[in-house]
Amino acid sequence: LAVLVTAFLLEPSTRGVRSHTRLSLPPCGWLAMFGKPCITCGYTTTFAWTAKGAFGTAIRNQPAAFVVCIGTAAAFWLSALGAVTGARVDRVVTAVFRPWVLWVLGGVVVAGWMYKVSTHG
């Protein structure tokens, strides 16, 4: 929840990257050194857009980060359900996190990175 609230309160960068510097974090070393985005460049900005409900902007900025943000929100609500009702949410987690799902998620992250590199101006 803290990540989602922080994202909601954060003003996303119009450049599509570097929103994390508004949290007093250092700039991306990869971007500074190579002039290309790293694998997580744009994640903070996309989380901020997603938390504000600007889904189209978020997806255009970094599609994989949008997927991760939605997963983060789902994990929060699933955890809240378990905490409040005592429901066995571990069954959902073990059903979702099969090896092939993790491979697909890894592929989504790499594809999102390639997209970000290709659209970085």
Side-chain angles (χ1 to χ4, degrees):
L1 180 60
V3 169
L4 297 171
V5 170
T6 301
F8 179 77
L9 297 173
L10 184 67
E11 183 63 34
S13 169
T14 56
R15 294 179 289 188
V17 294
R18 298 188 179 124
S19 292
H20 68 282
T21 60
R22 294 178 178 161
L23 299 170
S24 298
L25 296 169
C28 175
W30 185 282
L31 187 59
M33 187 178 296
F34 300 112
K36 299 288 182 188
C38 75
I39 198 163
T40 61
C41 274
Y43 272 58
T44 306
T45 304
T46 297
F47 265 63
W49 285 122
T50 304
K52 290 172 178 26
F55 298 148
T57 304
I59 292 168
R60 281 189 300 279
N61 187 61
Q62 200 348 327
F66 177 77
V67 171
V68 172
C69 186
I70 295 301
T72 301
F76 164 72
W77 287 111
L78 189 62
S79 298
L81 174 70
V84 171
T85 67
R88 296 284 314 265
V89 296
D90 61 312
R91 293 180 184 141
V92 174
V93 173
T94 56
V96 170
F97 287 104
R98 304 271 186 215
W100 70 268
V101 174
L102 298 175
W103 280 105
V104 169
L105 183 58
V108 167
V109 168
V110 170
W113 182 28
M114 291 188 301
Y115 169 83
K116 189 67 180 174
V117 168
S118 72
T119 61
H120 181 70

